Amino acid sequence: MREFLRFTSIDSPSYGERAMAESIRRSFDPLGLLLSEDDAGEKLGGNCGNLYGFLDGDLRAEPLLFSAHMDTVEPCRGKCVVVRQDGRITSGGDTVLGADDCAGIAVILEALRTIQENGLRHRPIEVLFTVSEENYCQGAACFDFSKLRSKQAYVLDLAGPVGGAACRAPTVLSFTVTVRGKSSHAGFEPEKGIHAIAAAARAIGALPMGHVDGQTTLNIGTINGGIATNIVPDRCVVTGEVRSFSHEKALELAEEVKQEFGRAAEASGAGIDFSVRCGCRAYETPLSHPVAQRFRRACDGLGLTPEVQSTFGGSDNNVFSEHGVAGLVLATAMNDCHSCGEYTDLRELSRAAELTISLMTSET
């Protein structure tokens, strides 16, 4: 898995994936899989677009899409990759490792190389390496899905041991509320002001935080307001998110947030501006679907225990589902993602490649 070590050594923050993309191109070209780049970078203000490629197969079977993302969460610059004697791979401790999602990229590459070197018959294969996945799947949302031939996908982007997979993920809505009050001197005439932070606090105190029900969560993430301790603040900006396995419930809760802030602001004479953005939309792939059944058979053939479950994190699979592509998100031995304690394991990476080979060479 030398490619994994090479990929993780590359700085590839969201909107800055160019070096990663060029390394991926150089790795895949010898396999006869030429990757084309779209204009997602231009649309998003980044320096790189999504990479797409198609490899014809020699099995009479429908094509399958295999996907991973090229960007890495911060802190990801100047990574120092450490390979422990027991096979565990970590960063130096002051950055993320980048297994999320260099593991997915390396596993797809290793699987295709093994198939080619051993002359294995395989089905038609599409690959898509996306940009800006960590920012609510923006890169995948820019992709032209009319190019895609596959109706089924495996997205290699899930934490945990190989054999795990996600078949359901939530809608993720991010919202911003700006409370508009009125400034005044806090010592001489505070009664002439309208305290924007106080109005925001009343709204937040009235809202249910955390698990709203078994399917839905609400969180206030940031609060910013005021310019000095002796001025009644005339502005407070609050951001948060709603997640739900039900898209309709997510929308209803976002509307409740808006209404609660509106009531709190009105009670003190303030006003609000409210905006909401859908980062990704909920989906569920039935366990009876061929994409799930094929995964189970592949696991059984390798002696792996398949564990198909829900995840409360979004991925490019949310976007694929919106475009009629049914998929699973596969675990690729990444652990403690989005932290400087992130790690993976050489043996598990090899197992992930074996599983991917089995899927690529499946006749059904």
Side-chain angles (χ1 to χ4, degrees), residues 145-158:
F145 280 85
S146 67
K147 297 180 179 179
L148 207 62
R149 311 183 196 191
S150 302
K151 293 300 181 184
Q152 298 176 30
Y154 295 102
V155 179
L156 283 71
D157 187 23
L158 187 67

Side-chain angles (χ1 to χ4, degrees), residues 203-220:
I204 294 169
L207 287 167
M209 291 294 124
H211 285 284
V212 177
D213 56 34
Q215 290 190 315
T216 310
T217 61
L218 170 64
N219 185 60
I220 298 296

Side-chain angles (χ1 to χ4, degrees), residues 7-330:
F7 290 144
T8 52
S9 70
I10 298 170
D11 292 348
S12 189
S14 300
Y15 310 117
E17 300 95 344
R18 171 56 59 196
M20 180 68 75
E22 294 305 322
S23 182
I24 291 172
R25 278 182 187 272
R26 290 192 296 271
S27 299
F28 278 81
D29 283 353
L31 303 179
L33 204 163
L34 300 180
L35 300 175
S36 61
E37 182 177 339
D38 67 12
D39 61 353
E42 297 175 24
K43 292 178 178 178
L44 298 173
N47 68 357
C48 181
N50 301 308
L51 297 181
Y52 164 80
F54 175 80
L55 184 64
D56 205 359
D58 38 27
L59 292 176
R60 295 177 62 85
E62 293 296 315
L64 291 178
L65 171 65
F66 293 83
S67 181
H69 64 85
M70 295 188 283
D71 60 325
T72 305
V73 297
E74 299 280 13
C76 65
R77 301 166 202 264
K79 297 189 295 298
C80 175
V81 183
V82 179
V83 181
R84 313 284 179 179
Q85 288 188 345
D86 62 359
R88 177 175 285 205
I89 305 173
T90 70
S91 72
D94 56 350
T95 69
V96 298
L97 171 62
D100 179 10
D101 194 21
C102 290
I105 299 169
V107 163
I108 293 171
L109 174 61
E110 180 68 16
L112 287 172
R113 178 182 289 130
T114 301
I115 285 172
Q116 184 183 76
E117 290 177 349
N118 292 277
L120 302 179
R121 288 164 55 82
H122 63 86
R123 57 199 302 148
I125 294 167
E126 289 181 287
V127 297
L128 179 61
F129 301 111
T130 61
V131 296
S132 196
E133 188 274 347
E134 296 292 1
N135 293 318
Y136 294 110
C137 310
Q138 291 179 348
C142 292
F143 182 68
D144 180 4
F145 280 85
S146 67
K147 297 180 179 179
L148 207 62
R149 311 183 196 191
S150 302
K151 293 300 181 184
Q152 298 176 30
Y154 295 102
V155 179
L156 283 71
D157 187 23
L158 187 67
V162 177
C167 64
R168 183 171 73 151
T171 285
V172 181
L173 303 179
S174 56
F175 59 83
T176 300
V177 189
T178 301
V179 181
R180 295 178 279 103
K182 180 182 178 183
S183 62
S184 65
H185 196 288
F188 290 105
E189 45 188 12
E191 68 281 355
K192 291 186 177 180
I194 299 176
H195 205 294
I197 294 177
R202 282 194 293 272
I204 294 169
L207 287 167
M209 291 294 124
H211 285 284
V212 177
D213 56 34
Q215 290 190 315
T216 310
T217 61
L218 170 64
N219 185 60
I220 298 296
T222 70
I223 304 173
N224 292 285
I227 57 175
T229 58
N230 62 347
I231 300 175
V232 173
D234 65 349
R235 189 170 182 268
C236 182
V237 180
V238 178
T239 65
E241 71 163 30
V242 174
R243 296 190 182 217
S244 181
F245 288 126
S246 165
H247 185 69
E248 291 70 25
K249 281 188 176 183
L251 294 175
E252 290 171 4
L253 184 52
E255 181 62 25
E256 181 182 335
V257 170
K258 177 182 178 180
Q259 295 300 324
E260 194 61 58
F261 271 90
R263 285 191 290 269
E266 184 179 7
S268 58
I272 70 163
D273 298 312
F274 184 88
S275 64
V276 63
R277 176 180 176 273
C278 183
C280 51
R281 184 172 180 134
Y283 75 89
E284 182 170 6
T285 301
L287 297 182
S288 59
H289 193 282
V291 75
Q293 292 297 311
R294 183 183 305 107
F295 169 75
R296 287 183 174 276
R297 289 194 299 272
C299 286
D300 290 343
L302 294 171
L304 297 170
T305 301
E307 294 188 8
V308 184
Q309 56 196 341
S310 301
T311 176
F312 225 54
S315 75
D316 285 337
N317 203 45
N318 290 69
V319 181
F320 297 165
S321 178
E322 285 189 67
H323 291 272
V325 180
L328 294 182
V329 187
L330 305 188

